[in-house]
Structures are given as structure tokens and as C-alpha cells.
Amino acid sequence: MKNLIKSIYLLNILVGIIFSPNLFAQEQFNYDESKVPDLVLPDPFVSAKGEIIKTVDEWESIRRPELIRLFAENVYGGIPRDFDEIHFNVSTDSDHLYKEVAMKKNVTIRVTRNGKAQAIKLFVFLPLEGKGPHPVFLLISHRNVQALLDDKEDRFFPIAQIVEKGYAAAIFDVVDVSPDDKERFTNGILESLYPEELKNSGGMRGLAAWAWGAMRAMDYFESENAIDHKRAAIVGHSRGGKAALWAGANDKRWAVVISNESGCGGAALSRRRFGETVKRINTSFPYWFNDNFKAYNDNEDALPIDQHLLAACIAPRSIYIASAIEDQWADPKGEFLSLKLGSRVYSEIYGIKVDLPEIFENHQRTIHTKSVGYHLREGKHNLTLYDWERFMDFVEKEFLLAR
Ligand code: GTR
């Protein structure tokens, strides 16, 4: 009898596991354009109080600061500006793979606040050819930077190609600022420099911390004579692209902001719910965004912003959005639409003639217009030499025009 009860009990557990909702309730993601809801998006030109925004002054004094605040409160958390000291320890490194074309500087950026310190390693490659100061590309890397620097075949960060075009190439690993990990993300500036952010449901989390790191790299560029910090481009791929957009929106020192396949929480419109959704990203990567963002799980229409307004906050500086056809998870169409709608601020507020097509076309194409760059390439989710070549073409034109 005892054995029978035991068997029934075990059978119950087994049936419970097999039919558990967790095992079968796989969330469905939409890849069908006909199922995308009709979009009603927040208007760039109407403030929260209902003021009509028409002039540069109204944009810059009312709407733009309001949007930055709304993104900070509801999505990323703000990027703290205060610290006590910043110090750059620079050494020239002659032991590297790009000796023929570049000089390598290893920079340790040391930031202190309230008696605590954080060190970030920044690697800078300066062209040997040509007279400086050189314009610079900074890549926010969530891939292991040492591994990238040790692999000459890798084109995620194509140092030789960047430097040969006359640019400085700089990179840091997000692990030095906030590790890209659900458990360990506080193990950086969130514990050392800004612990109060964690107590705030609208405070900084991983992505904003990475953006903060990029801003400290810019502080270094400002101090480096070989770099033309007024001609600096910030680049991020995917999660790094989300951080690049947030850094670029907040910090006007970036002349060019480049987001590669940044998708949900980056360039893609959240309300489309195509591919990755707000709920899914908040479930898989809760430490990227602040706690307030979780309120928009399955509730995107309640967001006071959408991602086209992040693109708009970068105006009139240059913005570049890139997508890949097979990267449907990141919603290439939603990325294009963000740029198209966000670029209205370039044309309608700043009078910059942006010439993006009216409709998204799902084939490989590059569109470079004044201040706004875009490409869609064939292939999968990745940052490739093809992408970098398009970025460099665009940046070259932008900087020539700006001279
Ligand atoms: C995915 C994530 C995306 C994107 C990507 C990446 O797993 O869902 O939002 O950030 O990672 O960073 O490569």
C-alpha cells in the first residue's frame, strides 16, 4: 500500500512536470507584418503639456530635455554626470598586431567619487600615417576586447581598415563598467561609484552604465592631442548599439552616433512588437533597463515615448542606423521607421534636408543623406566589415561637409 501511494505520488510529480505551463507556454513572437498593430506614436512636436514645438529654441529648451527625462525615468535610467576626479594613465604599447599601421595607447581611466574608484581600460590605435589630430571611432564592446585585439581575422572591430582611412580606433570592454551579466552587473560603477542608483526604480542599470563608460572615453579624447574629439563617432552593435544611442542622445560631444542592429530598446519601435518585445527583453535581460521599464511588458502603448524619439534627441548631430535582413529579431523595418520618423526633427526643426524614402524596402541598400545614414545588408545579426565600410563612407562625407 505504502509503495502504491509512493508510486501515485511520483506519477503526479511527473505529470506535473510534463504538463507544467512553463514547459509548454512558449511565448510566441510575431514575424508577420499583417499582425503588427496599427501604430499610434507619441508626437515629437507636442510636449507632455500639449505645447506645440516648432522652433529650435522650443525643441532644445522644452521637448528635447523632456524626452531625455522620459527615457531616463521609463527606460534606461539617467547617466550620472557627477564624480570627484578623473585621471588618465597612458602608456604606449609596442607589442601589438597592428604595428605596421598604428600606434597603440593603453589608457587606464580612473574615476573617483566619494572615496571610491573605478578603473576602465581604453585601447586606442592612432594612425601612423597622416597628420593628426585624427577623427575617432569608439566601439562599445560587449565582446571580450582582448580576444578581439588578438585576432587579426576578426572584423567586428577592423582596426587596420579604420586606421588606414585616417581614423583613430578606440574600444573598451563593458565588463570594466558593468559586467554584461544578470548576477554580476552591479560589480562595477553601480557598486563603486553610484550605489544610490540601484535604490531608485528609475535609476541607471547596465546600458546606461555602458553609456557612462563611453562618456569617460570621450573625456579622454578631449585630453588627447592626437585625437580630434570634435569629430568623434560612437558605435555600438546590438546591446552596444542601444547603449550608443543612449550615450549619443545624452552627450552632445558625439558628432556621429551609430547603432548597428540595436533592435528592441535600441532603434526599433517598441509598439510594433515585431521580433523581440519589451516583455521578452525585460525577462531575458532585466539588468539592462531600469525597473520602471518592466511596467511596459505587454503594455507598450502606455510608454510616453517610443524609440523614434531617441533618434530625434540626437539631432542635429549625425545619426546612422544599420540593420540586417536576416536579423528579424531586431525588426529591421521598425529600425528604419524610427529613423524615418525621428529624422523629422532634423528636417522640420533644424531645416536639414533629409532624404529618406517613404517606405521600407526589404533588400540590401545604403542611403546616405545629410546628417542621416542608413543601410540594410544581407545576412545575419553581426557587426561586419561591410557595415564598417558603410559607416566610414558616411562619416567621411559628414566630416568633409562640416569643415
Ligand atoms: C539578444 C538580445 C538582443 C540583442 C542581442 C545582442 O539576445 O535579445 O536585444 O541585444 O542579444 O546584443 O547581440
Side-chain angles (χ1 to χ4, degrees):
M1 186 64 180
K2 233 184 185 175
N3 272 347
L4 186 69
I5 292 175
K6 207 170 165 192
S7 315
I8 292 173
Y9 177 72
L10 286 176
L11 193 71
N12 259 336
I13 293 182
L14 200 66
V15 168
I17 291 173
I18 293 175
F19 292 101
S20 88
N22 287 340
L23 205 70
F24 285 102
Q26 284 268 352
E27 217 186 326
Q28 296 295 310
F29 297 100
N30 180 42
Y31 293 106
D32 178 351
E33 200 50 45
S34 72
K35 295 203 177 107
V36 171
D38 287 342
L39 295 182
V40 182
L41 295 168
D43 191 327
F45 306 113
V46 183
S47 79
K49 282 199 211 130
E51 297 142 300
I52 306 294
I53 305 297
K54 283 205 186 118
T55 65
V56 170
D57 186 52
E58 286 158 350
W59 173 257
E60 291 184 357
S61 66
I62 304 171
R63 188 60 169 150
R64 185 179 179 281
E66 174 179 272
L67 289 171
I68 296 281
R69 187 172 44 72
L70 290 170
F71 275 108
E73 277 171 17
N74 296 285
V75 186
Y76 307 101
I79 308 176
R81 300 266 170 169
D82 69 303
F83 48 79
D84 298 329
E85 268 178 38
I86 185 162
H87 181 79
F88 311 111
N89 191 321
V90 187
S91 62
T92 306
D93 179 357
S94 49
D95 183 24
H96 64 94
L97 296 175
Y98 302 93
K99 284 195 203 79
E100 313 287 291
V101 288
M103 175 210 267
K104 180 172 180 237
K105 288 195 177 184
N106 294 344
V107 183
T108 304
I109 305 174
R110 193 165 179 277
V111 185
T112 54
R113 182 175 186 252
N114 296 335
K116 298 256 176 73
Q118 184 73 31
I120 307 149
K121 292 186 289 300
L122 176 72
F123 302 95
V124 183
F125 293 83
L126 296 163
L128 289 180
E129 257 198 34
K131 240 187 32 241
H134 307 280
V136 60
F137 281 94
L138 172 77
L139 180 66
I140 301 176
S141 181
H142 62 279
R143 296 204 186 157
N144 183 292
V145 166
Q146 203 49 57
L148 290 175
L149 301 187
D150 289 343
D151 181 359
K152 236 181 161 177
E153 301 311 309
D154 199 301
R155 296 290 181 266
F156 188 76
F157 184 52
I159 297 167
Q161 286 82 357
I162 298 173
V163 162
E164 271 160 10
K165 292 243 170 179
Y167 300 103
I171 189 166
F172 73 96
D173 193 325
V174 299
V175 75
D176 286 349
V177 186
S178 169
D180 186 16
D181 181 278
K182 209 185 275 190
E183 311 299 330
R184 292 182 303 112
F185 76 101
T186 58
N187 201 343
I189 62 167
L190 283 159
E191 265 164 24
S192 59
L193 304 186
Y194 303 104
E196 68 277 13
E197 292 290 321
L198 289 168
K199 296 196 189 105
N200 174 358
S201 64
M204 167 171 75
R205 299 292 185 271
L207 293 177
W210 303 348
W212 179 94
M215 287 160 74
R216 303 295 71 81
M218 173 54 96
D219 295 342
Y220 168 71
F221 298 155
E222 287 183 326
S223 78
E224 165 66 70
N225 291 334
I227 286 181
D228 181 354
H229 66 269
K230 294 239 159 75
R231 293 191 294 161
I234 182 168
V235 186
H237 166 63
S238 204
R239 61 198 73 187
K242 307 179 211 287
L245 287 170
W246 187 226
N250 276 274
D251 186 349
K252 293 184 179 169
R253 294 176 298 173
W254 298 104
V256 184
V257 181
I258 302 175
S259 139
N260 194 64
E261 302 160 21
S262 58
C264 183
L269 290 172
S270 301
R271 280 170 175 76
R272 278 176 47 81
R273 305 157 175 88
F274 188 100
E276 188 171 30
T277 60
V278 168
K279 180 178 176 189
R280 166 61 187 250
I281 206 165
N282 276 329
T283 310
S284 323
F285 304 101
Y287 61 100
W288 285 354
F289 304 91
N290 67 21
D291 305 346
N292 295 346
F293 194 43
K294 313 311 182 260
Y296 303 102
N297 289 351
D298 286 332
N299 189 24
E300 291 86 348
D301 291 330
L303 277 162
I305 43 74
D306 209 319
Q307 299 304 114
H308 61 308
L309 298 174
L310 190 56
C313 285
I314 292 162
R317 291 165 296 131
S318 311
I319 184 169
Y320 198 116
I321 302 291
S323 307
I325 294 173
E326 288 176 50
D327 183 19
Q328 292 294 304
W329 184 239
D331 186 15
K333 181 170 178 181
E335 297 187 309
F336 172 81
L337 289 176
S338 257
L339 186 63
K340 173 77 188 162
L341 297 170
S343 69
R344 288 182 61 202
V345 170
Y346 286 75
S347 45
E348 292 172 44
I349 297 287
Y350 290 99
I352 299 169
K353 205 180 160 299
V354 178
D355 217 4
L356 286 177
E358 283 310 312
I359 44 167
F360 171 73
E361 285 175 31
N362 197 26
H363 57 82
Q364 180 153 306
R365 63 199 319 220
T366 299
I367 304 158
H368 291 173
T369 126
K370 170 85 191 86
S371 303
V372 175
Y374 171 80
H375 75 252
L376 175 64
R377 69 157 166 78
E378 279 163 7
K380 294 198 171 61
H381 184 69
N382 199 0
L383 176 57
T384 67
L385 186 56
Y386 180 92
D387 300 312
W388 279 100
E389 282 168 346
R390 310 274 100 48
F391 301 156
M392 289 193 278
D393 280 356
F394 173 74
V395 163
E396 195 171 311
K397 277 184 239 146
E398 289 295 289
F399 288 159
L400 278 178
L401 288 173
R403 272 188 184 179

